[in-house]
Amino acid sequence: MTKTETYLFYLVEDFTHMPFSCAVEPLRLANHLSGKRLYEWKLASENGETVRASNGITTLVDHSFDDRVKSDRLFVMSGINTWKHINRGLISALRRERSHGARIGGMCSAAYVLAHAGFLDGCRAAVHWEYHDSFMEEFPDVSVVRNVFVADEKFITASGGTAPAESDPASDWRDPWAGAGQ
């Protein structure tokens, strides 16, 4: 019997809905096509209450960032005004999850969050093209690449939009941490 993999999505206020949908829908579709529960996902926000996406859609969540939720992978989902929503609680929660062995990634502008947590120093990272220049200025120890995603580092980063759905089936995107250091 295959173990169900759990994905935890940290939804930061003003997160971009498209990369979030492109991350969740393949999981849902894999469950549907297989007739099995291969994946499950849980959502968290800063206070455990609803969170608003940049398109105005309000999303219900299961947990707050303070909750310790067992998951196989954790993805930070952010979008516009990310720097306004980076706070001690979010950074502490990510560091706590990392100390418990969580495999962490970020989509769209979430590279800012991961960089603020100190996770990306010396690594390559993908960030939405709109933020390349400001990101490179603020985080000179992170090598920004103009790729859709970077999956061969300790922390996966995707530039946003449909990046989660644009992987090459021959790549290691299905399990990007296979063989990667923690």
Side-chain angles (χ1 to χ4, degrees):
M1 181 163 175
T2 305
K3 176 189 171 285
T4 301
E5 283 190 46
T6 301
Y7 283 67
L8 176 60
F9 293 96
Y10 273 18
L11 303 180
V12 176
E13 192 73 23
D14 288 328
F15 72 97
T16 306
H17 209 263
M18 185 173 288
F20 171 64
S21 295
C22 286
V24 172
E25 282 302 303
L27 304 176
R28 182 199 62 80
L29 189 57
N31 288 348
H32 176 73
L33 292 175
S34 71
K36 299 175 185 170
R37 193 169 163 217
L38 302 172
Y39 304 101
E40 68 179 6
W41 47 93
K42 297 177 182 188
L43 311 178
S45 70
E46 182 175 3
N47 58 11
E49 297 176 13
T50 60
V51 61
R52 190 178 69 73
S54 61
N55 62 7
I57 292 175
T58 300
T59 304
L60 298 172
V61 300
D62 309 297
H63 302 280
S64 77
F65 296 158
D66 290 335
D67 296 341
R68 176 73 182 103
V69 180
K70 185 172 174 12
S71 66
D72 296 293
R73 297 169 187 347
L74 184 156
F75 282 97
V76 178
M77 309 300 293
S78 63
I80 62 171
N81 301 316
T82 301
W83 47 92
K84 291 181 181 178
H85 305 295
I86 297 172
N87 58 51
R88 189 175 312 188
L90 173 58
I91 298 302
S92 294
L94 287 169
R95 288 178 177 159
R96 178 196 68 225
E97 293 304 315
R98 181 179 183 208
S99 74
H100 282 93
R103 295 172 169 177
I104 298 172
M107 297 188 197
C108 194
S109 59
Y112 271 98
V113 178
L114 301 181
H116 273 281
F119 295 166
L120 300 180
D121 287 351
C123 295
R124 294 177 315 118
V127 64
H128 191 278
W129 63 268
E130 193 172 19
Y131 304 112
H132 279 192
D133 292 341
S134 61
F135 187 92
M136 289 186 294
E137 245 178 64
E138 190 169 349
F139 303 103
D141 293 333
V142 180
S143 178
V144 173
V145 296
R146 299 192 188 281
N147 296 7
V148 175
F149 59 86
V150 174
D152 59 350
E153 293 283 358
K154 291 180 186 177
F155 301 91
I156 289 177
T157 52
S159 60
T162 59
E166 293 183 14
S167 64
D168 174 357
S171 75
D172 61 350
W173 178 249
R174 180 163 160 55
D175 188 1
W177 288 281
Q182 287 290 316

